[in-house]
Amino acid sequence: MQQLHYELHYFKNPNYPIIFHIDTLYKQSSHIVAHWHANIELLYVVSGEAVVEIDGQPVRAKRGEIVIINSNSIHSVRSETDEVVYFCLIMDSTFCRSLNFDTVNCRFHHLTNDLEMRNIFQIIANESQQAKPFYQKAVRALCNTMLILLYRNQLIEHTLVRTNTSDRMAIIKQAIEYIHHHFNRDISLDEISQEIGISKFYFCRIFKDVTGITPNNYIFQVRCNHAHQLLSERDLSVAECSDICGFNSTAYFTKCFKSVFGFPPSHIHRHKDQPIYGTQRDAHSGQRSVFISTNGQAEPTPL
């Protein structure tokens, strides 16, 4: 069975819960492997042609077209031409909800060449490239407009129907959603398996089959990512942060944190003014971070 990955987006600045960057893929040497995440993602093809497989269905997009990847949709990206260049915009689901847009339970058409949305992409690219004062506020406002256009012109349905737990992927998605809502307290595998209506043994087996890691390993990685964000933005002690994020002891928290990031949590206090550690997209390998994608400023891009 092909191993899939859940991508957890980490936002260094909680007031800027947006990821925007430009990607280049090459037909012979790179692609974005199958993965999914809770946040909506939009890809605007600048040049070339891309094939985005979404929940098993190929979506072909050429220059000037926008691919909309719905929340929790399994997707991969490859180049259909020798090279494809595209803008990638990811908006945090909590940020969207704060603007009264529920992007988790809504479904949108996968492909559009909406002129207004294309213009918004270009302005976001300019703002991100130039990084003038208040550019992040400008991008937030532009994302609000982008959401309005999505709901006006691309909305298919809004549904709160409970996921069908007979499907393995649906089970894992439901479990991950539950973990993200309850990771900051003592949460057991019995509780999770009971919530999704299957045995603990079966749950642990299919979680490892699909994601490549155990549920407990996933829980502590989610906790560590949240801890990294808290330590970066708030004046908390390591012990306080450990307690907030659901760890039973500071020593165990430090051990887990170091295994995820390669350095102890105390390191953040000493290096708050330096660039954050994190993995970035490799244009040639096409591999994307399994758990962390940062919202750093995009590299300069000729438009």
Side-chain angles (χ1 to χ4, degrees):
M1 177 180 177
Q2 181 187 17
Q3 189 177 102
L4 303 172
H5 298 291
Y6 180 83
E7 185 173 88
L8 174 62
H9 299 133
Y10 166 72
F11 301 99
K12 179 182 177 181
N13 182 353
N15 293 317
Y16 188 61
I18 295 155
I19 295 170
F20 182 83
H21 49 72
I22 188 169
D23 287 331
T24 302
L25 296 179
Y26 304 95
K27 187 174 184 178
Q28 301 300 325
S29 60
S30 60
H31 67 283
I32 303 301
V33 298
H35 65 286
W36 82 96
H37 41 72
N39 299 322
I40 191 168
E41 180 174 2
L42 286 75
L43 308 179
Y44 174 39
V45 179
V46 177
S47 65
E49 184 174 341
V51 176
V52 186
E53 187 163 306
I54 304 175
D55 291 330
Q57 299 298 317
V59 177
R60 296 179 181 274
K62 58 183 182 295
R63 180 180 178 181
E65 293 183 319
I66 298 169
V67 179
I68 302 165
I69 302 169
N70 291 310
S71 170
N72 288 323
S73 288
I74 300 167
H75 57 283
S76 60
V77 188
R78 70 178 189 272
S79 179
E80 187 71 358
T81 49
D82 289 340
E83 175 184 295
V84 63
V85 180
Y86 60 90
F87 293 131
C88 173
L89 173 65
I90 299 173
M91 294 177 282
D92 178 58
S93 58
T94 303
F95 163 70
C96 296
R97 196 177 302 117
S98 72
L99 299 172
N100 295 316
F101 293 109
D102 181 5
T103 53
V104 173
N105 293 302
C106 289
R107 289 294 174 264
F108 305 92
H109 294 289
H110 287 313
L111 189 66
T112 180
N113 60 359
D114 184 291
L115 180 59
E116 289 180 287
M117 291 178 64
R118 291 162 55 186
N119 289 338
I120 295 295
F121 254 110
Q122 294 285 1
I123 300 171
I124 290 175
N126 281 326
E127 288 287 348
S128 299
Q129 176 190 347
Q130 297 169 14
K132 294 179 180 179
F134 309 109
Y135 86 93
Q136 292 184 345
K137 290 182 181 294
V139 173
R140 283 177 60 105
L142 289 163
C143 284
N144 190 9
T145 304
M146 186 76 84
L147 287 166
I148 292 171
L149 294 172
L150 275 174
Y151 275 79
R152 277 181 178 174
N153 305 322
Q154 308 303 327
L155 181 65
I156 300 173
E157 63 176 342
H158 180 279
T159 177
L160 292 173
V161 177
R162 187 177 178 84
T163 305
N164 180 3
T165 56
S166 64
D167 178 75
R168 287 161 60 94
M169 284 304 305
I171 291 172
I172 301 308
K173 290 178 181 179
Q174 188 178 347
I176 284 175
E177 183 176 1
Y178 189 80
I179 289 170
H180 279 260
H181 279 90
H182 302 280
F183 71 86
N184 59 346
R185 62 170 177 79
D186 189 16
I187 180 175
S188 68
L189 299 183
D190 287 312
E191 177 184 339
I192 300 171
S193 57
Q194 183 177 357
E195 170 66 21
I196 59 182
I198 60 174
S199 72
K200 181 172 71 172
F201 174 79
Y202 181 59
F203 165 61
C204 291
R205 181 165 64 84
I206 66 170
F207 195 97
K208 178 69 180 295
D209 285 346
V210 172
T211 67
I213 62 174
T214 66
N216 279 330
N217 190 296
Y218 182 80
I219 291 169
F220 85 63
Q221 294 211 38
V222 172
R223 287 172 173 166
C224 287
N225 285 330
H226 186 61
H228 195 310
Q229 183 169 349
L230 289 178
L231 289 170
S232 299
E233 67 192 38
R234 292 170 57 181
D235 187 20
L236 293 173
S237 69
V238 172
E240 288 172 327
C241 187
S242 171
D243 186 60
I244 291 172
C245 295
F247 287 94
N248 292 324
S249 76
T250 304
Y252 181 61
F253 165 54
T254 300
K255 179 181 177 181
C256 290
F257 192 97
K258 189 172 182 179
S259 72
V260 172
F261 294 105
F263 51 87
S266 58
H267 180 94
I268 297 179
H269 287 154
R270 298 194 300 269
H271 300 274
K272 273 191 175 181
D273 296 330
Q274 297 180 8
I276 194 165
Y277 288 79
T279 54
Q280 296 179 348
R281 188 82 59 92
D282 184 330
H284 293 283
S285 70
Q287 301 293 317
R288 191 151 69 182
S289 163
V290 175
F291 290 105
I292 306 169
S293 290
T294 61
N295 62 339
Q297 179 184 334
E299 63 270 36
T301 306
L303 297 176

